[in-house]
């Protein structure tokens, strides 16, 4: 079939409650709830801080922008690569186990059906096809997935490095964002960023573990841990900020405690399911994670620069503009990240299907998550159109509210674009198409940076949001182009003649 037609394959079954639909739902819904829980907790933080004053709100906004964007540089490559590798190794092990079972039950030749060696070359390793034997040697009834241990170790190291980096570079980073020592925003911003940095190891470790859980298609455990952590955060916020009078420092401390609680709960749960102590150093899969992670690091750095630049341009226009931008950005990110649930489902299912060479499943899964993404985006756009009525939940400042009323229409209108951009990323990650994802994002970032400078200088606050809308549209085009042309790992689409049901 024509590669571009894959996007509308099975469109009549988009909302059908079939096996694929249930698999997507079982992975995406807990993931979506877990991903939405943290931004919602951040929104509650924003609401509490907003009642301290617009200066503190703007200061924390700058610090959160720095922390989140620096974190994404390490988190997204680590989680994305770990999810794909764990899903591939888990799928290959399932195929190996099924093959061994059939060999025992039948004398028929099943090698043609289960070409495990080719699949191992595609996404796994020799150790991943011997999971059962390794587990037996260890005397444990647990899954043995080499990428799981590697991801956790790398995540722990990156977390410590990020904490040290943020603590010692807080001042120059704030200067880069337009905050200098003579700014009223500088002191609270530096105080919050420095304290929040101590939670970086827990944040990255917990996300690395979530990558493992996503790869084995268990997204409920991360959901429970995240909810418990965020509830703790919400309870501690008013206690530390107002009762103990710690102000913005209290908000940072509450967040740190919640993140360490989440990481401890996740690690404890994972140890019950997966062997985390390989028998030898050779069993670690550091090479694959580092190689593919570096490619995604390039992509995330480009994404981070665009979003951080937009926050910097807003901060340079003063605390009122930055406060309004922070609220709009938090809403934009919180709602858009809901799409990551579909992206994770698509990535895990597609990675498993590629490992099994089940191309029909690849096509069906990619089409379904993209179609569901469009529906989700339209729904979010409709809901956010009513948001101006709730703006006073975040601040009482009349000038900030006026700017928020300008930004919200852009936040609402871009939801379908944002959702599809995130889902396209998940689909291409599932195909392990990390190189294209990295290089295409560089081109998108270059064009977007030009738009940000030009439009912010001429249109101010409005120009920033127009440029961000262009940026997300270009990301969709990059994802669409790869699949639509049937290039890279999607080359098999040119040889498939499937009826569009």
């Amino acid at each position: 079939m024509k590669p571009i037609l894959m996007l509308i394959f099975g469109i009549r079954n988009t909302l059908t409650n079939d096996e694929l639909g249930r698999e997507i739902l079982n992975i995406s819904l807990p993931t979506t709830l877990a991903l939405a829980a943290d931004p919602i907790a951040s929104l509650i933080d924003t609401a509490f801080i907003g009642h301290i004053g617009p200066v503190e709100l703007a200061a924390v906004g700058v610090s959160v922008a720095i922390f989140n964007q620096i974190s994404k540089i390490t988190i997204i490559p680590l989680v994305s690569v770990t999810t794909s590798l764990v899903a591939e190794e888990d799928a290959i092990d399932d195929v190996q186990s099924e093959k061994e079972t059939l060999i025992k039950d039948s004398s028929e030749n099943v090698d043609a059906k289960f070409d495990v060696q080719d699949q191992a070359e595609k996404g796994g390793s020799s150790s991943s096809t011997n999971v059962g034997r390794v587990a037996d040697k260890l005397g444990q009834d647990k899954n043995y997935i080499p990428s799981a241990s590697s991801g956790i170790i790398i995540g722990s190291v990156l977390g410590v490095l990020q904490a040290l980096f943020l603590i010692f570079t807080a001042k120059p980073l704030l200067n880069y964002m337009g905050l200098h020592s003579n700014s009223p925003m500088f002191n609270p911003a530096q105080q919050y960023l420095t304290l929040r940095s101590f939670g970086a190891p827990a944040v990255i470790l917990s996300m690395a573990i979530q990558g493992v859980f996503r790869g084995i298609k268990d997204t409920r455990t991360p959901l429970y841990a995240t909810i418990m952590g965020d509830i703790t955060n919400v309870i501690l916020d008013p206690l530390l900020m107002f009762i103990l009078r710690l102000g913005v420092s209290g908000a940072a401390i509450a967040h740190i405690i919640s993140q360490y609680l989440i990481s401890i709960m996740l690690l404890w749960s994972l140890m019950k399911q997966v062997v985390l102590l390989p028998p030898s150093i050779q069993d670690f899969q550091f090479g694959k994670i580092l190689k593919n992670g570096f490619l995604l690091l390039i992509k995330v750095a480009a994404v981070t620069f665009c979003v951080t630049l937009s926050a910097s341009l807003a901060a340079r226009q003063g605390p009122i503009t930055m406060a309004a931008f922070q609220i709009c950005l938090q809403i934009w990110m919180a709602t858009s990240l809901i799409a990551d649930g579909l992206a994770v489902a698509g990535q895990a299912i597609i990675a498993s299907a590629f490992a099994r060479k089940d191309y029909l499943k690849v096509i069906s899964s990619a089409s379904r998550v993209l179609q569901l993404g469009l529906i989700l985006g339209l729904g979010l756009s409709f809901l956010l159109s009513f948001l101006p009525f709730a703006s006073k939940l975040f601040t009482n400042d009349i000038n900030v509210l006026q700017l928020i009323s300008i930004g919200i229409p852009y936040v609402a209108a871009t939801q379908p674009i944002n959702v599809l951009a995130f889902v396209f990323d998940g689909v291409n990650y599932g195909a392990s198409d990390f190189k294209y994802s990295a290089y295409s994002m560089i081109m998108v970032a270059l064009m977007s940076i030009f738009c940000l400078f030009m439009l912010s200088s001429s249109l101010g606050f409005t120009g920033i949001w127009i440029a961000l809308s262009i940026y997300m549209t270009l990301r969709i085009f990059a994802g669409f182009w790869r699949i639509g042309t049937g290039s890279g790992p999607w080359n098999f689409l040119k040889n498939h003649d499937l009826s569009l049901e």
Side-chain angles (χ1 to χ4, degrees):
M1 74 181 208
K2 299 290 186 182
I4 197 170
L5 294 180
M6 191 211 75
L7 301 175
I8 58 172
F9 175 75
I11 194 168
R12 290 181 299 177
N13 301 321
T14 301
L15 299 176
T16 302
N17 185 28
D18 55 10
E19 182 180 354
L20 177 59
R22 288 190 294 273
E23 186 177 13
I24 292 173
L25 181 65
N26 289 336
I27 298 174
S28 63
L29 182 58
T31 303
T32 298
L33 293 175
L35 290 169
D38 189 57
I40 288 173
S42 295
L43 284 174
I44 294 174
D45 277 349
T46 302
F48 281 126
I49 295 168
H51 285 83
I52 298 177
V55 172
E56 286 79 7
L57 177 61
V60 171
V62 175
S63 297
V64 169
I66 293 173
F67 184 90
N68 287 346
Q69 297 309 316
I70 296 290
S71 295
K72 284 182 180 179
I73 293 177
T74 51
I75 287 175
I76 294 180
L78 178 62
V79 174
S80 299
V81 173
T82 300
T83 299
S84 290
L85 292 180
V86 168
E88 290 173 359
E89 291 173 355
D90 193 42
I92 291 171
D93 179 52
D94 288 342
V95 172
Q96 177 71 9
S97 298
E98 187 177 350
K99 178 182 176 182
E100 291 174 353
T101 300
L102 288 175
I103 289 176
K104 291 179 181 179
D105 296 341
S106 173
S107 59
E108 296 179 0
N109 183 4
V110 294
D111 287 339
K113 182 177 179 181
F114 299 95
D115 191 356
V116 178
Q117 182 178 357
D118 289 342
Q119 292 169 358
E121 293 175 356
K122 163 69 180 176
S125 67
S126 60
S127 62
S128 66
T129 61
N130 295 317
V131 172
R133 288 191 291 273
V134 174
D136 289 340
K137 287 181 180 179
L138 295 174
Q140 301 183 47
D141 186 19
K142 302 178 183 179
N143 292 333
Y144 174 68
I145 304 173
S147 295
S149 303
S150 307
I152 291 173
I153 292 174
I154 294 173
S156 300
V157 173
L158 290 176
V160 173
L161 292 177
Q162 180 180 315
L164 294 173
F165 173 78
L166 288 172
I167 290 169
F168 290 108
T169 63
K171 184 175 181 179
L173 286 173
L174 290 170
N175 291 159
Y176 166 76
M177 293 293 286
L179 300 188
H180 300 282
S181 55
N182 59 350
S183 169
M185 294 185 286
F186 182 81
N187 286 335
Q190 184 179 30
Q191 187 178 27
Y192 183 90
L193 180 58
T194 302
L195 278 174
R196 182 80 177 264
S197 300
F198 285 95
V203 173
I204 299 181
L205 175 60
S206 66
M207 291 307 300
I209 299 173
Q210 286 192 47
V212 178
F213 276 114
R214 292 175 185 180
I216 61 177
K217 301 179 183 178
D218 174 9
T219 54
R220 293 181 183 274
T221 300
L223 170 61
Y224 300 146
T226 301
I227 290 176
M228 291 300 297
D230 287 341
I231 289 175
T232 302
N233 186 20
V234 172
I235 292 173
L236 290 176
D237 264 341
L239 174 64
L240 298 176
M241 292 173 63
F242 302 116
I243 296 178
L244 297 182
R245 301 181 181 277
L246 294 178
V248 295
S249 296
I253 294 170
H255 201 86
I256 291 171
I257 294 173
S258 69
Q259 289 301 322
Y260 276 99
L261 176 62
I262 292 172
S263 62
I264 291 171
M265 292 177 65
L266 286 173
L267 184 59
W268 180 263
S269 299
L270 187 63
M271 288 173 64
K272 296 178 180 179
Q273 301 183 47
V274 176
V275 176
L276 296 181
L277 294 174
S280 67
I281 192 67
Q282 288 80 10
D283 290 296
F284 285 109
Q285 302 295 301
F286 291 128
K288 289 184 179 180
I289 293 181
L290 293 175
K291 176 184 176 181
N292 293 321
F294 178 75
L295 290 171
L296 282 191
L297 179 63
I298 296 174
K299 174 176 181 173
V300 175
V303 172
T304 299
F305 188 84
C306 289
V307 178
T308 305
L309 176 62
S310 66
S312 175
L313 292 172
R316 293 172 191 276
Q317 295 180 22
I320 299 298
T321 301
M322 183 58 205
F325 180 80
Q326 164 65 9
I327 292 173
C328 290
L329 184 66
Q330 285 289 333
I331 296 169
W332 195 60
M333 298 295 289
T335 53
S336 298
L337 284 175
I338 294 175
D340 265 357
L342 280 175
V344 168
Q347 180 183 2
I349 297 171
I350 291 170
S352 296
F354 262 112
R356 298 171 184 267
K357 298 187 181 297
D358 185 353
Y359 295 126
L360 177 59
K361 183 69 173 287
V362 171
I363 294 170
S364 301
S365 304
S367 302
R368 185 73 66 89
V369 292
L370 287 168
Q371 293 156 12
L372 290 172
L374 178 59
I375 294 173
L376 174 61
L378 292 172
L380 289 172
S381 183
F382 174 76
L383 291 175
L384 289 179
S385 63
F386 297 99
L387 196 58
F389 299 105
S391 297
K392 289 187 178 179
L393 290 173
F394 304 101
T395 181
N396 293 320
D397 188 282
I398 253 182
N399 295 321
V400 176
L401 288 172
Q402 184 178 3
L403 282 179
I404 289 175
S405 67
I406 295 173
I408 289 300
Y410 290 98
V411 174
T414 54
Q415 289 308 303
I417 299 172
N418 295 357
V419 172
L420 285 176
F422 286 121
V423 175
F424 265 119
D425 282 346
V427 169
N428 281 318
Y429 293 166
S432 295
D433 200 4
F434 300 117
K435 182 180 292 186
Y436 174 79
S437 295
Y439 296 153
S440 64
M441 190 61 225
I442 292 175
M443 298 302 298
V444 168
L446 291 174
M447 291 184 280
S448 300
I449 290 168
F450 173 78
C451 292
L452 277 167
F453 277 115
M454 294 296 294
L455 294 174
S456 65
S457 62
S458 59
L459 299 175
F461 182 77
T462 301
I464 293 174
W465 281 104
I466 294 175
L468 286 175
S469 302
I470 293 172
Y471 156 69
M472 295 305 295
T473 302
L474 291 173
R475 287 184 63 176
I476 284 185
F477 179 79
F480 179 83
W481 179 265
R482 188 62 156 177
I483 296 176
T485 57
S487 53
W490 301 99
N491 186 61
F492 72 90
L493 290 171
K494 297 178 180 178
N495 302 320
H496 272 68
D497 185 17
L498 302 176
S499 58
L500 300 180
E501 300 179 357

